Amino acid sequence: MAKPQAAQLQPWVDGSCVVIPTQTALPQRCIITNEPVESSEYQVWNLPYIPRWLLMLMFMGPFFMITAPFVRQRCKFKAGFSRRYRRRRLVWRSLLISILPMSIVMAGVAVATGRGEFLVLAVSCLVISCMLMPLLIIYAHPMRVVRHYDGLYWISGMSPAFLAGLEAMDSASTTPASPAASGQARM
């Protein structure tokens, strides 16, 4: 598919990503389930673009996680999530975040009971949580900006059904059925 101009503010699909300039509105459908979403579920996202070299360094220690806000670009756009998906996402994130407090509880139990096996569990939970922190930062949003070039952002994390619907809308709007349809804007 030919690359549209950034000034047109029209999204297009490139493999498993949607390519958009900032300040774009995607169709009012859930990007995961492709169900129509209500206006309350359709919101503005402000996603960061973090270069790959910084993603690798984030796993080396907390200093590099602190530097991330200073070297990234941001893409602001509108997209929606269904209530069902948001609920499922909340449950999984809550479980992952609970690993850190669990290590503190296990350490307290090890000290109170004098049993070393609880201390081993506490240390292993702490190590796991240290590895999960960068992942939770990277995947804080289900969508990610995987590339930034010339004012355009490649956004991943959308379902194949949503991408197919976006391509169908794009092909329908590029082949107008009547002269009146050719003057309509897509978004």
Side-chain angles (χ1 to χ4, degrees), residues 20 24-31 37-45 76-81 143 155 158 162:
I20 58 172
T24 300
L26 294 175
Q28 200 163 341
R29 301 186 68 73
C30 176
I31 64 162
V37 293
E38 298 174 13
S39 59
S40 63
E41 299 166 333
Y42 191 66
Q43 63 187 16
V44 174
W45 291 86
K76 196 177 222 182
F77 63 97
K78 288 182 101 174
F81 288 111
M143 300 170 286
I155 312 292
M158 298 175 192
F162 180 82

Side-chain angles (χ1 to χ4, degrees), residues 64-140:
F64 296 108
M65 287 190 283
I66 295 169
T67 61
F70 302 107
V71 293
R72 61 185 182 190
Q73 300 286 326
R74 297 190 83 76
C75 178
K76 196 177 222 182
F77 63 97
K78 288 182 101 174
F81 288 111
S82 65
R83 282 192 181 103
R84 180 173 49 124
Y85 174 74
R86 284 186 295 153
R87 213 173 304 126
R88 184 177 63 198
R89 183 170 174 257
L90 177 67
V91 167
W92 280 108
R93 287 180 57 89
S94 299
L95 288 173
L96 290 175
I97 291 171
S98 69
I99 291 175
L100 182 60
M102 188 167 43
S103 65
I104 296 167
V105 169
M106 290 292 201
V109 169
V111 170
T113 62
R115 296 181 64 187
E117 53 269 3
F118 286 119
L119 191 58
V120 172
L121 283 173
V123 170
S124 61
C125 285
L126 186 62
V127 169
I128 290 170
S129 66
C130 286
M131 290 303 293
L132 283 177
M133 289 304 237
L135 288 174
L136 285 172
I137 291 170
I138 292 168
Y139 294 105

